[in-house]
Amino acid sequence: MQTADTILEASRLTKEFFGFTAVKNVDLKVRRGSIHALIGPNGAGKTTVFNLLTKFLLPTSGKIVFDGVDVSAQQPAQISRAGLVRSFQISATFPHLTVLENVRVALQRKANLATQFWRSDKVLDTLNARATELIADVNLSNFIDTPAVDLSYGRKRALEIATTLALEPKMLLLDEPMAGMGHEEIDRVAALIRKAAIGRTILMVEHNLSVVSSLCDTITVLQRGEVIAEGPYSQVSQDARVREAYLGADHA
Amino acid sequence: MSELTDTAALAPAPQLQGKQQIWERALIFAGIAFLVAAPLLGVYPVNLMTLMCFALFAAAFNLLIGYVGLLSFGHAAFFGTGAYVSGYAAKAWGWTPELALLAGALSGAFLGLIVGFLAIKRKGIYFSMITLALSQMVFFIALQAPFTGGEDGLQSIPRGKLFGVIDLANTNAMYAFVLVIFLAGVFALWRIVHSPFGQILKAIREHEPRSISLGYDVSRYKLIAFVISCTVTGVAGGLKALVTQIASLTDITWQTSGEVVLMTILGGIGTTLGPLVGAGIVKTLEDHLASLGFPVPVLIGAIFVACVLLFRRGIIGEIENWMKR
């Protein structure tokens, strides 16, 4: 079923919460190397799909295949190690660690510097060169010793992206990366996402259709837990059902 | 690094950190110097030795609450178990003190592994409730089991001869032994907190889902930290049994669990010195007030309330915060 071209495939994904079906028979194929958006109005089930794909929720039924491996029953930390790494809607940084330490936490696992409790944390300085590079890539060099809690919202996002990229993931899942941002910050984060997409695949959940218009190759539109349209922006934005979902029946 | 130069506002931070470090080091040296000189100054050594046992206990407890964000409300179970096992090994089997302590440490580790395994997947108050419930079970076993001496506990536990050579009935020798174990224990905990592993623990405390998404099995890290904490707590309990030559139900009650929470909060959660200072204050107050016939729990309660209302960072935490400004 899965071709080498598809990095992530969900088939007939369903999630019920106590009888309420939040996500129903969702099929999703993400092409390797693309920027793919999952959009939909409030309550469409975007975040549920997102949590299913990242294993923070277990599906009621359905199958998820990542990079040729069935990950339906895997643990969230497991699929992260396989190269599918998520971000969070509310910027997920380690607030009382500095920018440098935040990025190093991500580097520690692969460097085998995570479980050693008998060594001085000075050995982590060996990760500084790589961490500094990653931090420079997201333009945070001036804040390298700043605790994450003191960063602006947009910079927290940038730090989160640097931390995620430190894992060298094959694929990134971004949960509403532009939520709560002003125009200027949206542009900055969009640029970062474009940069991060080089050589990898990105699936992002977004509420706002216009934000993803220029950024994404493929857009999947969810409504009431079901896929109602899929394709490039030019096609999806003309779809009658999508227009109805976003603007209400009167405008359709 | 040249980009750093244009951020003048950030410049003072490392400098202050350096000042704080010097201050902390001075305090540590003063503390060690005091502990070494104390018997010569005429401080009653048994009190000081007991205090060191509780300080080590509080430091081990602080590893969990301060660096992993886990409030264990049953830590006396590991302290008491360490005391009983070390006491029993020394008394009934005639083990030398270092082996008895090792037995106490292993018993703490083993019990910690069981309790941790059952509790670690729960968060917040649920974790605390499970540790409390399980520690009450341990208390009940200590009360009923034939080898613990029931209400009487284990009494006149021999201190024995260290490595079969040095007689610890000699107070100075015992004091030196306790001091060495205490410093080694505190150093070990400090090393763990300031290790690559400790850094991951802090990350988990700061943002658990993010740590998972970075590929860390957080339950495993928490369990390792829990077992380490319980092991050191077992050592502290065993040491206490050798110092006071008694292992009793008091060591294992939930009140003792509560006391260690108070010591840590009073001194400062998540600071190296806080639990030691907190234990020092609480134990000293208890010793002095008990001899005056003052109802100690009243004062302990008042301190607790004052702590929560007035200085939530604890004594050392407030000082550190003040130094940073």
Side-chain angles (χ1 to χ4, degrees), chain B residues 12-27 271 273 313-325:
Chain B
Q15 213 179 353
L16 267 178
Q17 218 170 8
K19 194 169 132 196
Q20 198 187 331
Q21 227 171 27
I22 292 167
W23 173 83
E24 219 177 62
R25 272 189 199 156
L27 202 63
T271 61
L273 295 175
R313 292 187 186 89
I315 294 168
I316 297 293
E318 291 292 348
I319 293 174
E320 278 182 1
N321 191 48
W322 178 76
M323 298 284 296
K324 268 182 207 157
R325 268 186 291 167

Side-chain angles (χ1 to χ4, degrees), chain A residues 56 76-77 80-81 85-88 92-97 101 105-106 108-109 113-121 123-124 141-146 160 163-164 167, chain B residues 1 3-7 10 13-14 188 191-200 202-218 220-221 224 228:
Chain A
F56 277 66
S80 163
R81 292 195 290 268
V85 180
R86 70 168 287 176
S87 76
F88 292 83
T93 57
F94 304 116
H96 297 101
L97 303 187
E101 287 171 323
V105 166
Q108 276 179 250
R109 188 169 47 76
L113 289 172
T115 49
Q116 297 172 330
F117 57 78
W118 56 92
R119 290 179 78 175
S120 165
D121 53 10
V123 299
L124 298 178
S141 300
N142 287 346
F143 301 92
I144 199 157
D145 290 321
T146 308
E160 196 186 350
T163 309
T164 307
L167 300 177
Chain B
M1 292 298 272
E3 289 142 315
L4 276 175
T5 48
D6 63 340
T7 53
L10 294 174
R191 167 47 71 229
I192 290 161
V193 167
H194 297 93
S195 73
F197 175 73
Q199 193 71 10
I200 304 300
K202 283 174 224 163
I204 292 171
R205 174 194 67 188
E206 299 268 295
H207 200 310
E208 191 169 326
R210 180 54 169 165
S211 308
I212 295 171
S213 88
L214 293 179
Y216 293 107
D217 288 315
V218 299
R220 213 179 99 222
Y221 284 82
I224 295 172
I228 291 173

Side-chain angles (χ1 to χ4, degrees), chain B residues 235-285:
Chain B
V235 171
L239 202 56
K240 187 249 150 205
L242 294 176
V243 167
T244 60
Q245 305 188 278
I246 297 169
S248 69
L249 288 173
T250 318
D251 301 332
I252 211 161
T253 50
W254 64 267
Q255 285 93 335
T256 302
S257 294
E259 205 173 80
V260 81
V261 176
L262 172 68
M263 288 170 180
T264 310
I265 292 179
L266 176 64
I269 287 171
T271 61
T272 311
L273 295 175
L276 312 183
V277 171
I281 293 173
V282 171
K283 277 290 149 195
T284 309
L285 280 177

Side-chain angles (χ1 to χ4, degrees), chain A residues 28-79:
Chain A
L28 189 70
K29 269 191 189 181
V30 181
R31 195 159 43 80
R32 195 182 294 271
S34 68
I35 303 182
H36 193 128
L38 188 63
I39 66 162
N42 280 329
K46 302 181 299 278
T47 300
T48 308
V49 170
F50 191 85
N51 283 329
L52 290 172
L53 293 176
T54 52
K55 313 308 301 171
F56 277 66
L57 284 176
L58 275 180
T60 310
S61 64
K63 195 169 118 176
I64 303 165
V65 177
F66 173 65
D67 211 14
V69 180
D70 186 343
V71 298
S72 310
Q74 287 195 2
Q75 295 291 315
Q78 233 176 332
I79 68 156

Side-chain angles (χ1 to χ4, degrees), chain A:
Chain A
M1 278 228 315
Q2 194 175 24
T3 62
D5 243 347
T6 307
I7 185 161
L8 181 73
E9 177 170 6
S11 35
R12 304 195 66 73
L13 211 53
T14 299
K15 178 70 187 178
E16 288 171 12
F17 295 104
F18 309 105
F20 168 71
T21 310
V23 171
K24 197 171 163 189
N25 293 332
V26 166
D27 290 314
L28 189 70
K29 269 191 189 181
V30 181
R31 195 159 43 80
R32 195 182 294 271
S34 68
I35 303 182
H36 193 128
L38 188 63
I39 66 162
N42 280 329
K46 302 181 299 278
T47 300
T48 308
V49 170
F50 191 85
N51 283 329
L52 290 172
L53 293 176
T54 52
K55 313 308 301 171
F56 277 66
L57 284 176
L58 275 180
T60 310
S61 64
K63 195 169 118 176
I64 303 165
V65 177
F66 173 65
D67 211 14
V69 180
D70 186 343
V71 298
S72 310
Q74 287 195 2
Q75 295 291 315
Q78 233 176 332
I79 68 156
S80 163
R81 292 195 290 268
L84 176 62
V85 180
R86 70 168 287 176
S87 76
F88 292 83
Q89 205 170 100
I90 296 157
S91 256
T93 57
F94 304 116
H96 297 101
L97 303 187
T98 65
V99 167
L100 181 71
E101 287 171 323
N102 263 272
V103 176
R104 283 199 318 205
V105 166
L107 293 169
Q108 276 179 250
R109 188 169 47 76
K110 275 194 184 165
N112 254 329
L113 289 172
T115 49
Q116 297 172 330
F117 57 78
W118 56 92
R119 290 179 78 175
S120 165
D121 53 10
K122 292 215 164 59
V123 299
L124 298 178
D125 287 345
T126 56
L127 305 173
N128 284 0
R130 178 73 186 124
T132 311
E133 259 174 56
L134 288 156
I135 291 164
D137 281 346
V138 296
N139 308 321
L140 284 179
S141 300
N142 287 346
F143 301 92
I144 199 157
D145 290 321
T146 308
V149 66
D150 293 338
L151 296 175
S152 74
Y153 190 79
R155 292 198 173 107
K156 279 187 190 138
R157 269 284 170 222
L159 172 58
E160 196 186 350
I161 290 171
T163 309
T164 307
L165 292 182
L167 300 177
E168 295 175 22
K170 293 176 193 156
M171 179 167 180
L172 296 183
L173 279 93
L174 308 175
D175 191 4
E176 302 207 17
M178 325 287 201
M181 284 188 185
H183 277 295
E184 210 174 302
E185 280 186 318
I186 286 182
D187 291 344
R188 210 183 304 153
V189 171
L192 280 178
I193 291 174
R194 255 190 218 104
K195 206 162 153 187
I198 298 168
R200 44 177 83 79
T201 315
I202 292 185
L203 173 65
M204 55 193 277
V205 164
E206 251 312 328
H207 179 69
N208 194 332
L209 190 60
S210 65
V211 167
V212 298
S213 60
S214 60
L215 193 58
C216 297
D217 308 307
T218 313
I219 297 170
T220 301
V221 186
L222 271 184
Q223 194 193 7
R224 294 197 194 95
E226 292 180 82
V227 175
I228 57 169
E230 188 171 277
Y233 176 74
S234 53
Q235 182 191 325
V236 165
S237 60
Q238 296 308 313
D239 188 286
R241 288 212 290 170
V242 175
R243 294 174 73 88
E244 186 192 321
Y246 265 89
L247 302 167
D250 299 343
H251 297 266

